[in-house]
Amino acid sequence: MRNAALVLGIIAGVWGMLVGFFGYGYTEFIDHFGEIPDLAEQVDHPERVRLFALIAPVLAIAGGAMARSAAQIGGGLLLASAAGMYFAFGYGVFTMFPIAMAGLGGVLALAARQPDPH
């Protein structure tokens, strides 16, 4: 289960980085060029999006990396990452996979009480 949490966490982090890049870039683009009515409008909380665009993927990658050695801490980081992605970006077509992978990886890491057999 720890290996599965590791893989899910790293995949969620990489996919979350892509979502974060576009989220951060979109908010900066709108700030710089202005809104286009009915096409491109600023999000309600651009600073939240910018902050969690960095924090949530880093938590997922760190949680996945820690899942083998410190499963409880890694699981907590993965669950925090999933919550952060949901809080900043919501649930949509591009966020459902990193949220689900980080969440499942967190649950698997927390459920792994003993090291995986080799």
Side-chain angles (χ1 to χ4, degrees):
M1 286 204 289
R2 292 174 186 231
N3 288 333
L6 179 141
V7 171
L8 287 169
I10 292 177
I11 292 171
V14 170
W15 190 254
M17 281 179 19
L18 292 172
V19 172
F21 288 144
F22 283 104
Y24 194 100
Y26 178 82
T27 61
E28 286 293 326
F29 179 85
I30 297 299
D31 275 352
H32 189 267
F33 293 106
E35 294 183 349
I36 302 169
D38 296 330
L39 181 63
E41 298 175 354
Q42 187 62 278
V43 297
D44 291 335
H45 304 285
E47 290 303 318
R48 177 193 310 168
V49 170
R50 292 174 190 154
L51 180 66
F52 282 94
L54 171 67
I55 292 174
V58 169
L59 287 176
I61 292 171
M66 293 178 70
R68 287 191 52 125
S69 59
Q72 307 307 312
I73 296 170
L77 292 175
L78 284 163
L79 291 176
S81 172
M85 285 187 225
Y86 182 77
F87 178 66
F89 305 113
Y91 186 82
V93 68
F94 294 108
T95 60
M96 65 180 165
F97 289 109
I99 290 170
M101 288 181 190
L104 179 59
V107 169
L108 289 175
L110 290 176
R113 293 288 179 192
Q114 49 192 331
D116 290 339
H118 290 72

